[in-house]
Amino acid sequence: MIKKKLLTAVAIFTTLTGLTNISRAQSETKFIQDNLALCQKQVKAMLASKDLAANTFPQTIKDGKLRSGTLYEWTTGFFPGNLWYAYEAGKDAGLKAQAIQWTEKLAPLQTFTEHHDLGFMMYCSYGNAYRLTQNESYKQVLINSAKALSTRFNPVTGCIKSWNVFKSWHGKESYSYPVIIDNMINLELLFFASKVSGDTSFRHIAVTHALTTMKNHFRPDNSSYHVVCYDDKTGKVLARETAQGYADNSTWARGQAWSIYGYTMTYRETKDPRFLKMAQGLANYYIDSKNLPADFIPYWDFNANQAGYTPGVNSNANKINVKYRDASAAAVTASALLELSTYTTGQTAKKYKDAAVKMLHSLASLEYFAATGSNADFILKHSVGSIPHNSQIDVPLVYADYYFMEALLRYQKLNAGLKLY
């Protein structure tokens, strides 16, 4: 009798546990679907906005209105990318047509060589366009873009030059070969081009850049410097400073996010365990930081306004006492962690996925997700462009929306038991 009761109790517990897990999965499925539907609604509203000009690309808000940038600004690829993600989420033919139209406006950039952001500009737009349409002409545009980006690589420094010049916040010093952590994201364009063209030089540049960055851009605790300046004749590191972070020795939140994303992607493309170890160390720094708020949406810099961290004399960060949040950093990190969780196992994988899901739920809350008809139709609020430059402070940013949608779509695949790649 006792044995029978015990078996019955086990059966009931198993059934209830199974129902709980099913219920939780159903709840998360609805969370994803609801938020993707809201994202599509916001994207469509922006397309209909009277402030959306035909030949400029949405960036942020200024004076309460939509602010767009020219073709050559680093953010141009994100709005077409948002259209592709919105189309992917709902298979709306009208959104696909708009995505094609806005993507093809970027065609002149395939020979652009003036800065490193060609990966953002072309892979977020044409990369998604090719993935979702298999249009062969898009593949050639991406190969041409990779060729253009490759012109900024110097084998002496072992990395791709980011900007043409970097002016220090400390005074009049300037550097002619700056490399920023953001550059890790642009390597995805090179890996793609190598695979589809058979040209191994693209892959060589990407791997070399990742290894050089791994050597020079990080501290022993796996926090990241923003800018590393090189001597292009000797390859020597001349300075490690910040452009958009609080101080040279601080950790700019979106920079850390770029690094997590970049090394996770580089591991995907190479399966080199050094890159996986790097990605995990960078992710652990973010998740385990005592300076990370409870909702996992970071302050714009992990060390802002703390003792021992001093901005350069010319930095606007000296004038800012508010510790602003940066939703864009959380969106990038959430997307990266979801992918990283698939390359790890057990409690480590759970740690990364749980952190990503927590970020997504925070971003989807009323605190960060804009109400319909507000926020100039951007999806997320409370991002930071560059406090040192006194630019785009506590505003929506188009790339925050891009990586939020990307993370939701990745979560949707994982929730359905599908592979990301």
Side-chain angles (χ1 to χ4, degrees):
M1 186 68 178
I2 294 174
K3 183 178 181 182
K4 184 177 180 181
K5 286 183 178 180
L6 180 61
L7 290 172
T8 301
V10 169
I12 292 172
F13 175 78
T14 303
T15 301
L16 288 174
T17 303
L19 287 173
T20 301
N21 289 337
I22 292 169
S23 176
R24 186 177 297 120
Q26 289 173 339
S27 175
E28 287 303 279
T29 298
K30 188 175 187 306
F31 166 79
I32 297 165
Q33 292 173 341
D34 287 352
N35 279 282
L36 283 173
L38 288 170
C39 288
Q40 293 169 67
K41 188 175 182 179
Q42 294 288 78
V43 168
K44 288 179 180 179
M46 185 173 285
L47 280 169
S49 172
K50 61 181 177 57
D51 296 322
L52 181 63
N55 296 313
T56 58
F57 297 80
Q59 284 185 327
T60 185
I61 284 178
K62 188 173 183 179
D63 299 325
K65 294 184 178 181
L66 175 67
R67 182 197 181 277
S68 296
T70 69
L71 179 67
Y72 299 99
E73 295 188 47
W74 78 276
T75 55
T76 54
F78 292 113
F79 183 62
N82 288 350
L83 294 173
W84 283 115
Y85 281 150
Y87 163 69
E88 184 176 5
K91 298 300 185 288
D92 184 309
L95 280 172
K96 181 179 181 180
Q98 289 285 350
I100 290 171
Q101 179 182 333
W102 281 88
T103 296
E104 293 181 354
K105 291 179 183 182
L106 302 182
L109 293 173
Q110 63 189 290
T111 57
F112 181 70
T113 59
E114 290 304 306
H115 57 66
H116 74 109
D117 288 310
L118 213 56
F120 286 117
M121 299 158 88
M122 301 303 275
Y123 200 73
C124 296
S125 54
Y126 275 94
N128 282 307
Y130 179 72
R131 178 175 64 86
L132 293 169
T133 69
Q134 294 297 297
N135 184 326
E136 286 295 305
S137 67
Y138 295 162
K139 181 169 70 174
Q140 189 57 52
V141 168
L142 289 163
I143 294 170
N144 293 342
S145 300
K147 290 178 181 177
L149 178 59
S150 297
T151 65
R152 299 186 67 82
F153 176 76
N154 180 345
V156 175
T157 63
C159 46
I160 299 166
K161 183 176 179 178
S162 296
W163 303 318
N164 294 329
V165 66
F166 167 64
K167 295 183 179 180
S168 173
W169 290 120
H170 298 291
K172 297 180 179 180
E173 188 70 49
S174 64
Y175 300 92
S176 61
Y177 206 102
V179 177
I180 63 176
I181 194 61
D182 319 36
N183 215 336
M184 284 298 302
I185 309 296
N186 295 297
L187 304 185
E188 191 165 11
L189 171 64
L190 298 177
F191 283 120
F192 171 85
S194 187
K195 285 186 293 186
V196 299
S197 71
D199 187 339
T200 59
S201 67
F202 300 132
R203 180 184 175 89
H204 171 74
I205 290 171
V207 171
T208 303
H209 180 97
L211 289 171
T212 303
T213 300
M214 194 161 68
K215 177 182 177 182
N216 295 323
H217 246 94
F218 302 100
R219 307 179 186 101
D221 64 355
N222 291 310
S223 63
S224 55
Y225 291 99
H226 185 201
V227 188
V228 175
C229 303
Y230 292 87
D231 183 323
D232 63 350
K233 301 295 191 298
T234 66
K236 180 183 177 181
V237 172
L238 300 177
R240 292 179 175 89
E241 299 194 10
T242 195
Q244 291 166 260
Y246 184 72
D248 293 344
N249 61 331
S250 71
T251 303
W252 176 47
R254 195 164 61 252
Q256 192 73 12
W258 293 140
S259 68
I260 299 167
Y261 192 110
Y263 279 98
T264 300
M265 174 274 299
T266 302
Y267 174 71
R268 179 217 308 157
E269 298 297 334
T270 65
K271 294 298 183 283
D272 187 327
R274 291 175 295 178
F275 297 135
L276 178 59
K277 182 180 179 181
M278 190 76 234
Q280 289 186 251
L282 297 165
N284 293 339
Y285 175 89
Y286 183 109
I287 298 169
D288 298 336
S289 173
K290 66 180 186 301
N291 299 320
L292 185 65
D295 64 0
F296 277 33
I297 311 300
Y299 300 113
W300 71 278
D301 189 294
F302 279 90
N303 309 109
N305 306 103
Q306 293 179 359
Y309 301 89
T310 305
V313 293
N314 295 325
S315 171
N316 184 65
N318 288 297
K319 303 175 183 178
I320 302 296
N321 294 318
V322 178
K323 293 177 71 173
Y324 291 103
R325 301 295 189 93
D326 186 4
S328 75
V332 173
T333 303
S335 185
L337 289 177
L338 286 170
E339 181 177 2
L340 183 57
S341 73
T342 68
Y343 304 138
T344 52
T345 59
Q347 288 302 308
T348 302
K350 184 178 186 301
K351 173 183 178 178
Y352 297 147
K353 185 177 179 182
D354 286 354
V357 171
K358 185 169 184 176
M359 290 175 210
L360 285 177
H361 277 269
S362 293
L363 291 171
S365 71
L366 294 176
E367 180 65 27
Y368 297 98
F369 200 112
T372 301
S374 69
N375 209 41
D377 302 312
F378 287 97
I379 297 166
L380 297 179
K381 303 178 287 184
H382 304 313
S383 288
V384 170
S386 180
I387 282 179
H389 293 89
N390 194 28
S391 175
Q392 301 174 346
I393 301 173
D394 195 28
V395 293
L397 292 169
V398 66
Y399 45 91
D401 294 356
Y402 176 89
Y403 287 102
F404 179 60
M405 281 196 282
E406 180 179 85
L408 285 171
L409 287 165
R410 285 180 168 185
Y411 187 27
Q412 185 178 56
K413 288 180 181 178
L414 293 180
N415 197 47
L418 303 174
K419 291 184 177 181
L420 298 186
Y421 296 94

